[in-house]
Amino acid sequence: MTVTEETEVTLAVGQQKELPVAPDPGGRHPDREMHAILEIGIRSGGRPAHTGAPVPGTGPALAEVLIVDTSRSMLHPTAKLHAAKDATVAAVRMLPDGTAFAVLSGRFDATLVHPGPGSEVLAVAGPAEREAAERAVRILDADGGTAIGSWLDLARRLLKDQPAPVKHVLLLTDGRNEHDHRAAMTLDTALDACEGRFVCDAWGIGDDWDAELLLRITRRLHGRARAVRAESELTAAYEELVAGLLGTAVPELRIRITPTPGTVIRQVKQVVPSEQELPPVPAGSGGRGVEYATRAWGDEVRHFQVVLTADPTGRETGEDLQLAAVEVVVPDFGRPVRLPGPRPVLVRWTDNPLDASRQHPGVRRHELYQQASAAVAGAYRAWLRGSDGRDTADRELARALALAGDLGDTQLLGALRLIEAAPGTGRVRTGLKDVDWQHLILSSALTTPPEPPAASPRPADPAAARAAARPGGGPPPEPAAAAPPDPAFPLRPDGLVECPDCRWLGPADSVYCGGDCGRLLRGTPA
């Protein structure tokens, strides 16, 4: 990609607009929840192949810290440690010249393997530094315990002053953070300190890692939790991950939500490709807008769920009103980005119970994923009880299989069938190991969007097809006259538009009032 080529960001808002206006049995009008699904996509126009150097004029795009678990358990079997060394070396070899990087060894505490103990800065990739890092990794041995909070805190301190737009940590462990109580910094404290500072992907290897631990880390640090079933798979997995990092199209993207007066933002979270709560971050502009940061985008699409509440008291029914405006903001990182315009989140207050009971498919889909993940967790807890929990484990597995079928998620179905005794039985097979369940828990945390509907075949003669579909095949009826669109309210001399209801002033192209009433100002309701 040349520096003149644009990256394009797309934004679509999906929702079911109707909310009930009827009071509760006590005669009160409690706030109603509006759920909207934001579909945000990145298209960079085709990223270049890895060239070993940053794009001219942009500086190094990546600062990378690789953390290798070197606790004593990595020697049982030694294949785990050998695989960790091979994969780490392969990742270092892929780093472009000029990339800041470090390799850490994790035990009860964290040790800087390269550029060496005592250093307070990262190495800068080049032929000599990559070779020196490889030598240091190759002589690593394993001893001691596992205290991951200390590992992450050292990574944070090393990355603190790095100017690279993408700061990333790749963490590998085979254990369960069993020495957290002995650590200089607990994992909870470290996650609080590290959140928003870098992205962390966490990997499990061997037979004794903890899926919930990996998910806990990556949900806080905007990364993904993964694992390999065989040690020999780790190098290829690392190479694929680093290639993706080097092709990052947008280092950071912020969702800015500006609620109208009376609307409250209750929750914003990512729901595809995995669930992550997004805490608000300091906004870059004044006003009522609140921003939520997401990080390290390639060419991809992610879905986010926004939950708003509003009070229908005194509001018009049957009319589209704006609850909030959604925008996408990308901090400057040296490349041009084309952003979409703001999109409204709407409400239509209704006293029709049927209209108010409908749910947007994206919201329902996420609920099904939550139920499937809960069923997997329930099956695992029951399995741990042995014969006493066998019936419960079978019921929960059958429930998870049914939900995966409803979702049409072939990846999740495949993972569940590795646990099932035989296809169609819905029973847990015998001889399972704990690690089999850990892989399933990770799989149940991944989510996918629904498949787009297949395009209907176009008839060769549309007019003839329409005529054939009419009783008697007669001539088409005269088209109904289209209702004229509502004219925009005239502009004031200063170029602003004024809402006739609440006297809010806004830009000339405003579609909805951004003030107290949120009413439609131009066009016709969707």
Side-chain angles (χ1 to χ4, degrees):
M1 185 196 311
T2 67
V3 293
T4 59
E5 290 178 315
E6 279 191 324
T7 294
E8 181 183 11
V9 182
T10 59
L11 167 65
V13 177
Q15 62 173 131
Q16 184 63 44
K17 294 181 290 188
E18 286 79 12
L19 283 181
V21 73
D24 64 15
R28 296 168 299 177
H29 287 275
D31 287 354
R32 310 298 191 186
E33 282 193 351
M34 170 58 70
H35 295 250
I37 297 293
L38 313 182
E39 182 177 307
I40 300 176
I42 301 286
R43 288 197 293 263
S44 65
R47 297 189 302 273
H50 167 54
T51 61
V55 174
T58 65
L62 175 67
E64 179 70 23
V65 175
L66 298 126
I67 302 179
V68 184
D69 185 336
T70 54
S71 61
R72 186 180 295 111
S73 60
M74 287 289 284
L75 295 174
H76 306 287
T78 57
K80 290 187 291 187
L81 185 59
H82 293 319
K85 292 180 183 182
D86 289 344
T88 302
V89 166
V92 168
R93 287 174 178 171
M94 293 180 68
L95 298 178
D97 290 350
T99 301
F101 79 100
V103 180
L104 308 186
S105 165
R107 299 181 182 176
F108 289 122
D109 54 11
T111 303
L112 192 54
V113 174
H114 186 81
S119 177
E120 296 182 359
V121 296
L122 275 65
V124 178
E129 287 292 343
R130 285 191 288 265
E131 185 178 335
E134 179 173 348
R135 288 197 300 270
V137 169
R138 291 296 184 195
I139 62 173
L140 281 175
D141 199 358
D143 197 10
T146 303
I148 295 175
S150 298
W151 311 354
L152 292 173
D153 184 58
L154 179 55
R156 177 191 63 82
R157 287 182 274 128
L158 290 168
L159 290 169
K160 178 170 53 106
D161 298 322
Q162 285 300 313
V166 178
K167 300 178 183 66
H168 183 263
V169 172
L170 178 50
L171 184 154
L172 175 73
T173 183
D174 74 330
R176 295 178 176 264
N177 201 38
E178 57 194 349
H179 299 103
D180 192 56
H181 62 288
R182 293 178 52 182
M185 178 174 286
T186 65
L187 181 58
D188 283 339
T189 303
L191 291 175
D192 288 341
C194 294
E195 186 171 10
R197 306 289 183 177
F198 55 79
V199 174
C200 179
D201 287 313
W203 284 77
I205 189 172
D207 291 338
D208 198 33
W209 50 273
D210 181 356
E212 290 298 337
L213 171 66
L214 302 186
L215 290 169
R216 179 177 159 206
I217 293 168
T218 54
R219 283 170 174 163
R220 287 289 300 276
L221 303 182
H222 290 249
R224 298 186 186 181
R226 313 181 204 187
V228 290
R229 291 185 179 273
E231 288 84 357
S232 58
E233 300 170 354
L234 188 64
T235 294
Y238 266 36
E239 289 173 338
E240 181 180 358
L241 186 148
V242 173
L245 286 170
L246 297 177
T248 297
V250 172
E252 179 180 307
L253 181 151
R254 292 189 174 201
I255 301 168
R256 179 182 294 161
I257 301 175
T258 305
T260 55
T263 299
V264 178
I265 304 170
R266 294 299 183 188
Q267 185 182 47
V268 178
K269 63 180 176 181
Q270 178 182 288
V271 293
V272 173
S274 60
E275 182 174 324
Q276 289 180 348
E277 292 286 340
L278 300 183
V281 297
S285 63
R288 296 191 302 270
V290 182
E291 293 184 0
Y292 300 83
T294 67
R295 306 181 195 280
W297 288 68
D299 282 10
E300 60 180 307
V301 175
R302 302 183 194 174
H303 292 190
F304 302 85
Q305 184 172 355
V306 175
V307 182
L308 308 172
T309 57
D311 184 351
T313 305
R315 303 295 185 177
E316 293 290 333
T317 59
E319 179 183 352
D320 280 1
L321 303 176
Q322 179 168 301
L323 289 179
V326 179
E327 301 172 78
V328 171
V329 180
V330 174
D332 180 32
F333 65 104
R335 296 180 187 174
V337 179
R338 185 163 73 252
L339 297 175
R343 303 285 189 267
V345 179
L346 305 174
V347 67
R348 184 180 296 165
W349 298 109
T350 179
D351 52 12
N352 184 330
L354 183 61
D355 286 343
S357 67
R358 290 184 293 176
Q359 191 176 40
H360 185 268
V363 176
R364 176 60 179 161
R365 186 173 181 83
H366 179 56
E367 288 181 355
L368 292 178
Y369 269 115
Q370 289 181 316
Q371 293 171 23
S373 182
V376 167
Y380 173 55
R381 288 193 299 269
W383 176 82
L384 288 173
R385 298 187 349 240
S387 57
D388 291 343
R390 182 59 186 262
D391 290 343
T392 301
D394 289 345
R395 283 196 303 272
E396 292 293 326
L397 175 63
R399 180 166 167 260
L401 283 161
L403 289 163
D406 290 344
L407 288 162
D409 189 327
T410 55
Q411 180 271 338
L412 180 54
L413 277 170
L416 288 164
R417 284 170 180 154
L418 293 175
I419 299 293
E420 191 179 18
T425 62
R427 298 177 63 84
V428 175
R429 69 179 174 88
T430 58
L432 287 174
K433 297 179 179 179
D434 190 88
V435 70
D436 297 318
W437 288 99
Q438 301 306 319
H439 281 286
L440 178 58
I441 290 168
L442 285 191
S443 294
S444 69
L446 296 175
T447 56
T448 62
E451 290 292 327
S456 302
R458 226 176 143 180
D461 183 351
R466 287 194 298 271
R470 289 192 298 273
E478 289 295 321
D486 294 340
F489 293 98
L491 297 181
R492 292 159 36 107
D494 57 7
L496 299 177
V497 66
E498 181 175 0
C499 174
D501 288 352
C502 70
R503 301 305 174 189
W504 172 81
L505 298 178
D509 59 353
S510 298
V511 177
Y512 287 88
C513 171
D516 291 337
C517 68
R519 64 160 292 169
L520 186 71
L521 295 180
R522 62 168 65 239
T524 54

